């Protein structure tokens, strides 16, 4: 288990939350690609789950080795990394499972703006209706295209943007519902150093899912997820 403080405290390229996994035993990486090879498996043998939903394309800039994930470290409450021994509920992956959970509002109102070499970001959260409900929204834009202009890069201008939103409401002490949205858009203009090849690509990902949880008793509960990807 990696908490948000531990994720932010680990050195990692591009301020990427999932690169914290690269520091764990059994993980091997070239330092740039997003997912590590865990226990000798291929990168696509690792399952990434965010608030209960599997992410099929959890990284930006696939053309450039997927250097940054869709998961803003500021919205993550923690990462559970199962490097083996996980149960059948996680499906058919062979290598590892990364369970990411979003952060719950820690105060009645919270607002944040951030700027770094890699990103400009904004985050807001609030509780309402006597703490029965809460919402969180965050958006992040890469600064890679600005950095490329600054250093007069001749290999191109990659850029991306992502956004996350979540609203939760407790209908009763036993019944809770939530709605999540995760969106991303990428653009990469890449020129080969000898100027013989040029690529201009765009990617978009959209995840929308609703969750309903109910505790039938102290020992029995259920959860239903309806999603669009």
């Amino acid at each position: 288990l990696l908490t948000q403080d531990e994720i932010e405290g680990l050195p990692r390229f591009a301020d990427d939350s999932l690169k914290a996994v690269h520091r764990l035993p059994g993980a091997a990486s070239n330092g740039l690609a997003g997912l590590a090879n865990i226990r000798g498996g291929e990168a696509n043998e690792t399952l990434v789950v965010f608030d209960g939903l599997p992410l099929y394309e959890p990284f930006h800039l696939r053309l450039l080795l997927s250097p940054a994930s869709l998961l803003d470290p500021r919205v993550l409450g923690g990462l559970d990394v199962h490097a083996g021994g996980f149960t059948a509920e996680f499906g058919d992956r062979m290598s590892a499972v990364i369970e990411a959970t979003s952060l719950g509002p820690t105060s009645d109102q919270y607002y944040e703006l951030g700027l770094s070499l890699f990103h400009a970001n904004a985050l807001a959260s609030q509780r309402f209706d006597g703490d029965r409900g809460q919402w969180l929204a965050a958006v992040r834009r890469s600064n890679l295209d600005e950095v490329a202009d600054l250093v007069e890069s001749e290999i191109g201008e990659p850029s991306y943007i992502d956004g996350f939103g979540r609203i939760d409401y407790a209908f009763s002490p036993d019944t809770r519902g939530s709605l999540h949205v995760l969106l991303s858009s990428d653009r990469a203009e890449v020129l080969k150093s000898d100027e013989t090849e040029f690529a201009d690509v765009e990617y978009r990902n959209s995840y929308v899912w609703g969750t309903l949880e109910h505790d039938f008793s102290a020992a029995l509960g259920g959860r239903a997820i309806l999603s669009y990807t």
Side-chain angles (χ1 to χ4, degrees):
L1 172 64
L2 296 172
T3 65
Q4 186 191 55
D5 290 340
E6 290 171 328
I7 294 171
E8 292 192 340
L10 287 172
R12 58 203 190 284
F13 180 73
D15 194 28
D16 179 27
S17 51
L18 291 186
K19 283 193 171 63
V21 177
H22 294 194
R23 301 284 177 174
L24 299 180
S29 169
N30 62 10
L32 177 64
L35 277 179
N37 301 91
I38 300 179
R39 296 191 302 113
E42 296 289 337
N44 61 9
E45 293 174 1
T46 295
L47 174 66
V48 179
V49 180
F50 185 40
D51 281 350
L53 184 76
L55 300 183
Y56 299 101
E57 189 69 43
F59 288 94
H60 290 292
L61 302 177
R62 184 173 55 195
L63 178 69
L64 301 174
L65 299 179
S66 305
S69 74
L70 274 60
L71 304 181
D72 184 348
R74 298 301 299 148
V75 306
L76 285 186
L79 293 175
D80 265 318
V81 183
H82 308 263
F86 43 86
T87 58
E89 66 180 292
F90 293 112
D92 58 357
R93 302 302 172 99
M94 295 291 293
S95 186
V97 174
I98 300 173
E99 277 191 289
T101 54
S102 57
L103 185 70
T106 55
S107 58
D108 291 341
Q109 297 184 49
Y110 181 78
Y111 306 97
E112 176 182 303
L113 293 174
L115 180 64
S116 70
L117 181 64
F118 291 99
H119 302 109
N121 65 285
L123 182 146
S125 65
Q126 190 174 20
R127 295 174 179 168
F128 61 93
D129 196 13
D131 288 346
R132 295 181 64 184
Q134 59 184 27
W135 61 265
L136 181 147
V139 63
R140 182 178 61 157
R141 182 193 182 277
S142 80
N143 294 328
L144 295 178
D145 52 345
E146 308 294 343
V147 173
D149 289 338
L150 183 65
V151 300
E152 299 181 354
S153 170
E154 298 180 356
I155 62 170
E157 294 186 358
S159 64
Y160 58 84
I161 186 171
D162 55 51
F164 172 70
R166 191 194 79 206
I167 183 168
D168 304 272
Y169 193 79
F171 301 101
S172 72
D174 297 327
T175 306
R176 303 166 300 279
S178 62
L179 179 65
H180 301 70
V181 177
L182 178 63
L183 307 172
S184 73
S185 178
D186 302 7
R187 175 76 180 267
E189 300 176 1
V190 183
L191 178 66
K192 198 172 180 180
S193 58
D194 57 7
E195 299 185 0
T196 58
E197 295 181 39
F198 178 78
D200 185 356
V201 297
E202 294 185 14
Y203 307 112
R204 289 185 178 88
N205 284 288
S206 303
Y207 299 91
V208 181
W209 69 104
T211 303
L212 183 64
E213 297 178 290
H214 182 74
D215 297 327
F216 297 99
S217 68
L220 180 64
R223 179 176 66 177
I225 296 180
L226 180 65
S227 65
Y228 167 80
T229 300

